[in-house]
């Protein structure tokens, strides 16, 4: 119980720190969203129009402590303001529109690479130095070193431009309306194939190597040697005794990887013009859309903190030694 309370208390402190930094950093930048919108429109307006825009964007010239309290209240109610890039669309609408594409693309690539990489790592460690282990270790280690965006560029050029097997941009065909039907889903899958494969294949080697190394280290522990001496079947020894304990570091890494999914893969989404969170974040930075940047940074930060808390709880559940060390 003490372990859980410590983790929850630290989570609350981290959440407050993230909210505070998210409030301070945009206000240290020159100008404000209203002035950025005016600059994009390349027009001259009077003071009354500027004031009206500042009201719409929630810009206040009150003392900082009043702005901070108002900011916390708005964040609590999910009011992130209006986007300059997509004016007058709300930031929450932009995030809500782009989030499903990122979760579907980056999320599924991360989950599949984790599952397959973990299984390959278990098999490679159990049959280490064999032909399959040597081959997969060499190939996947090389692919892990390849940047996902560079592999995406290669796939885009050859499979998209040269062969025309897959679309080269966006998330679905032009002229289609998002709907839960087979034509739209088929188009969605075709557009996600190349960026998804680039993310999947470059992440696979990391999960395989992590699990393989953990397995090899765990197999040398005394309790595994004792269980093997007792005549425990190989299948049970590999899964219940070795893999169950060796997977703990991978669980932590997987939790963090899932949390980072919300932030998208900026370079890969940029290469394929895929309308996910990463692409929107890059567009917001280029357009000086402070409200959208602030909303995206907050969502990413909170997701990382929540994922970290859940991983800590899961880790304590899988390994009782963690709870004992935390004072439970």
């Amino acid at each position: 119980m003490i372990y859980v309370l410590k983790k929850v208390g630290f989570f609350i402190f981290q959440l407050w720190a993230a909210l505070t930094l998210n409030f301070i950093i945009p206000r240290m930048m020159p100008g404000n969203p209203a002035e950025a919108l005016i600059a994009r429109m390349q027009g001259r307006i009077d003071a009354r129009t500027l004031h009206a825009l500042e009201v719409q964007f929630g810009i206040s010239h009150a003392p900082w402590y009043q702005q901070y309290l108002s900011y916390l209240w708005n964040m609590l109610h999910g009011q992130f303001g209006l986007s300059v890039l997509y004016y007058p669309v709300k930031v929450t609408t932009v995030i809500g529109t782009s989030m499903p594409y990122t979760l579907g693309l980056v999320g599924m690539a991360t989950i599949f690479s984790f599952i397959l990489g973990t299984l390959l790592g278990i098999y490679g460690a159990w049959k280490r130095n064999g032909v399959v282990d040597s081959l997969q270790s060499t190939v996947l280690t090389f692919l892990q070193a390849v940047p996902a965006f560079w592999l995406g560029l290669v796939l885009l050029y050859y499979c998209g431009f040269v062969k025309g097997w897959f679309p080269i941009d966006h998330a679905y065909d032009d002229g289609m309306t998002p709907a839960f039907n087979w034509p739209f889903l088929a188009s969605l899958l075709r557009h996600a194939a190349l960026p998804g494969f680039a993310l999947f294949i470059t992440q696979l080697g990391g999960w395989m190597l992590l699990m393989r190394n953990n397995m090899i280290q765990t197999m040398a522990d005394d309790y595994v040697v004792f269980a093997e001496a007792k005549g425990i079947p190989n299948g049970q020894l590999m899964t219940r005794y070795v893999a169950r304990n060796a997977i703990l570091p991978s669980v932590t890494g997987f939790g963090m990887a899932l949390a980072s999914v919300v932030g998208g893969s900026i370079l890969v989404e940029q290469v394929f013009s895929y309308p996910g969170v990463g692409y929107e974040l890059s567009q917001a930075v280029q357009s000086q859309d402070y409200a959208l940047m602030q909303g995206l940074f907050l969502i990413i930060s909170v997701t990382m903190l929540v994922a970290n808390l859940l991983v800590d709880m899961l880790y304590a559940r899988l390994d009782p030694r963690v709870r004992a060390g935390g004072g439970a």
Side-chain angles (χ1 to χ4, degrees):
M1 186 64 182
I2 297 178
Y3 173 83
V4 174
L5 292 177
K6 285 182 178 179
K7 291 299 180 181
V8 172
F10 189 55
F11 166 77
I12 294 174
F13 172 76
Q14 288 178 312
L15 180 60
W16 170 79
L19 287 170
T20 302
L21 288 175
N22 204 36
F23 168 80
I24 294 175
I25 293 176
R27 285 162 176 78
M28 296 177 63
M29 298 179 180
N32 58 50
E35 295 175 354
L37 178 61
I38 295 171
R40 290 181 65 241
M41 297 173 61
Q42 297 181 352
R44 297 180 179 179
I45 61 174
D46 54 26
R48 294 177 57 186
T49 306
L50 176 61
H51 176 70
L53 287 174
E54 290 180 341
V55 171
Q56 289 191 42
F57 287 116
I59 300 170
S60 173
H61 298 285
W64 272 46
Y65 74 92
Q66 294 183 6
Q67 296 185 42
Y68 181 64
L69 294 176
S70 177
Y71 159 81
L72 292 178
W73 178 260
N74 291 333
M75 294 300 101
L76 183 63
H77 291 79
Q79 299 177 3
F80 298 151
L82 301 179
S83 169
V84 175
L85 181 61
Y86 300 101
Y87 180 82
V89 180
K90 293 183 178 179
V91 169
T92 52
T93 303
V94 178
I95 296 176
T97 302
S98 59
M99 188 66 71
Y101 296 111
T102 289
L103 294 179
L105 176 67
V106 187
M108 296 308 296
T110 301
I111 292 173
F112 288 147
S113 63
F114 171 76
I115 295 174
L116 182 58
T118 300
L119 294 176
L120 291 176
I122 294 174
Y123 181 82
W126 200 255
K127 303 289 185 180
R128 64 182 181 277
N129 299 325
V131 177
V132 176
D133 178 46
S134 300
L135 182 62
Q136 75 174 14
S137 297
T138 302
V139 174
L140 293 182
T141 301
F142 169 76
L143 291 174
Q144 182 191 8
V146 176
F149 76 90
W150 185 86
L151 180 59
L153 286 171
V154 174
L155 294 173
L156 182 67
Y157 173 75
Y158 184 77
C159 299
F161 282 106
V162 177
K163 295 297 183 180
W165 292 336
F166 295 96
I168 60 175
D169 60 0
H170 204 51
Y172 50 87
D173 294 336
D174 295 335
M176 296 192 71
T177 302
F180 193 73
N181 53 51
W182 174 244
F184 176 74
L185 293 178
S187 176
L188 202 65
L189 291 174
R190 290 182 67 248
H191 281 261
L194 293 183
F197 180 77
L199 292 169
F200 167 78
I201 203 66
T202 52
Q203 294 179 20
L204 187 60
W207 297 119
M208 185 277 296
L209 291 173
L210 177 61
M211 190 61 190
R212 181 183 182 276
N213 294 337
N214 292 336
M215 283 280 295
I216 292 175
Q217 184 177 3
T218 305
M219 287 167 62
D221 290 344
D222 293 338
Y223 76 92
V224 177
V225 177
F226 180 73
E228 187 177 7
K230 288 177 59 178
I232 301 295
N234 284 338
Q236 185 177 353
L237 183 66
M238 180 178 66
T239 55
R240 296 187 59 184
Y241 284 80
V242 182
R244 181 178 180 180
N245 291 281
I247 202 174
L248 293 177
S250 296
V251 170
T252 303
F254 181 61
M256 294 298 96
L258 282 182
S260 64
V261 164
V262 176
S265 181
I266 297 178
L267 294 178
V268 173
E269 292 182 3
Q270 189 75 16
V271 166
F272 290 92
S273 297
Y274 198 82
V277 172
Y279 178 80
E280 296 297 347
L281 181 57
S282 66
Q283 295 298 308
V285 172
Q286 295 176 18
S287 303
Q288 296 182 329
D289 191 342
Y290 300 148
L292 184 54
M293 281 189 286
Q294 191 173 16
L296 290 171
F297 286 145
L298 181 61
I299 294 295
I300 295 171
S301 300
V302 171
T303 304
M304 290 291 293
L305 293 177
V306 171
N308 190 34
L309 178 64
L310 294 178
V311 167
D312 286 338
M313 299 303 165
L314 179 60
Y315 206 96
R317 180 69 177 177
L318 294 174
D319 190 354
R321 295 172 298 180
V322 175
R323 296 196 301 270

